[in-house]
Amino acid sequence: MSELTSRAAELDAADELATLRGRFVLEDAGDTVYLDGNSLGALPVTVPGRLDDVVRRQWGELRIRSWEESGWWTAPERIGDRIAPLVGAAPGQIVVGDSTSVNVFKALVGAVRLAGEARDEILVDATTFPTDGYIAGSAARLTGRTLRPVAPADVPAALSDRTAAVLLNHVDYRTGRLHDLPALTAAVHAAGAVAVWDLCHSAGALPVGLDEHGVDLAVGCTYKYLNGGPGSPAYLYVRRELQDRFDSPLPGWNSHAEPFGMRPDYAPAPGAVRGRVGTPDILSMLALEAALEVWDGVRIEAVRAKSLALTDFFLRCVAEYVAPGRVESLTPVRHEERGSQVALRCDDAGDAMKRLVERGVVGDFRHPDVLRFGFTPLYVGFGDVERAARVLGEVLA
């Protein structure tokens, strides 16, 4: 047994979160190492039975009565309150529904409207996930604003009295770099602008502190570290102090103050409900609600501590098992700058990832040369990490 294998066993034995792996449907340890939870989280064991009940009883037997008797109508806010502690928000500020892209559109156009007509520029993270950039471009055209891509580190210097809103990613999807949400939010506010954050790669992996840091608007998906399932609904956070002024660009009947009044004029509902649009996607939404039960009794601070320990150990193992110069880490070494993934640049990354998957190590490839490994502390252990790095070294030898 190698020194790193022994160390992995010691770390697993001391891991306070190790038993949580049993809350997920996963292969036996040693068969597959799943390091792609930053793209699609594993299936929680509670979901199949809950969906069976939703389909057979709630839909099959109760049918239309389930909107009231099974709590379908209030699910978006109820599940939003379930997500809230994971991102540092008090209840009543998050509504679940629609995709991340749709929620980015709602948040960004809403932010511009909150900022007022005198401000004519939107700043967007220049390294953002493409969809956020596409939506920001459309929002700028629709609102008559100028869009300016800026690297997150350069945002403070780019802010001015022209800035209406700033759209930033908390964690860079490609490199795993964690951006300074508190400092950047404070800088945006000092300039009189509105801060919008995309939490897709941070929610469920590390503390966010939306309320603590005064974030105005935030969006996120639920199928990564929150394990909600493929295409599970996203969410929108609207800070309580802004809710009565939040003017959604998609005023659907579900966000009306009297949704069943069928009035021709729109009057927004109070609170986070005004972030709703149309009829909720009940099947995927209730699957998400069941999935969130894996967080019962789990502290996000403990998750963050294990995440950093896992990524530290992976980088150590890679340095030991992979030939010098074969890969280059794009992920920051400093903990305060690191999310919950490690990105390695490799000339033949696409082919290497295919061979890794064939060997039972599942990560993903990002064009043109990035191997990306996501570490979900709820079900990834240190033995998984050691094995993944060892197989990577063999594949790249």
Side-chain angles (χ1 to χ4, degrees), residues 2 8 16 26 52 56 106 156 168 219 225 240 248 275 332 394 397:
S2 72
E16 65 175 288
L26 291 163
D52 185 71
R56 295 181 185 277
K106 293 181 209 171
L168 293 164
V219 303
Y225 296 108
R240 193 179 311 281
S248 174
E394 295 168 358

Side-chain angles (χ1 to χ4, degrees), residues 345-361:
R345 177 172 285 147
C346 173
D347 290 340
D348 53 345
D351 182 60
M353 184 53 69
K354 290 178 182 178
R355 287 181 283 146
L356 281 169
V357 172
E358 290 171 356
R359 294 281 302 274
V361 176

